[in-house]
Coordinates of all heavy atoms in Angstrom, one line a residue:
A16 N 25.3 29.8 12.7 CA 26.3 30.2 13.6 C 27.1 29.0 14.3 O 28.1 29.2 14.9 CB 25.7 31.1 14.7
G117 N 6.0 -15.8 19.8 CA 7.3 -16.4 19.7 C 7.6 -17.4 20.8 O 8.0 -18.5 20.6
T217 N 30.1 -0.8 22.4 CA 28.8 -0.2 21.9 C 29.1 0.6 20.6 O 29.9 1.4 20.6 CB 28.2 0.7 23.0 OG1 28.3 0.1 24.2 CG2 26.8 1.1 22.7
A234 N 21.7 24.9 11.2 CA 22.2 26.0 11.9 C 23.8 26.1 11.9 O 24.3 26.9 12.6 CB 21.7 26.0 13.3
F262 N 28.1 17.7 2.1 CA 28.9 17.1 3.2 C 30.0 16.3 2.7 O 30.0 15.9 1.5 CB 28.0 16.3 4.1 CG 27.1 15.4 3.4 CD1 27.5 14.1 2.9 CD2 25.8 15.7 3.1 CE1 26.7 13.3 2.2 CE2 24.9 14.9 2.4 CZ 25.4 13.7 1.9
P347 N 10.2 27.9 3.5 CA 10.6 28.1 4.8 C 9.7 29.0 5.6 O 9.1 29.9 5.0 CB 12.0 28.7 4.7 CG 11.9 29.5 3.4 CD 10.9 28.8 2.5

Side-chain angles (χ1 to χ4, degrees):
T217 317
F262 46 81

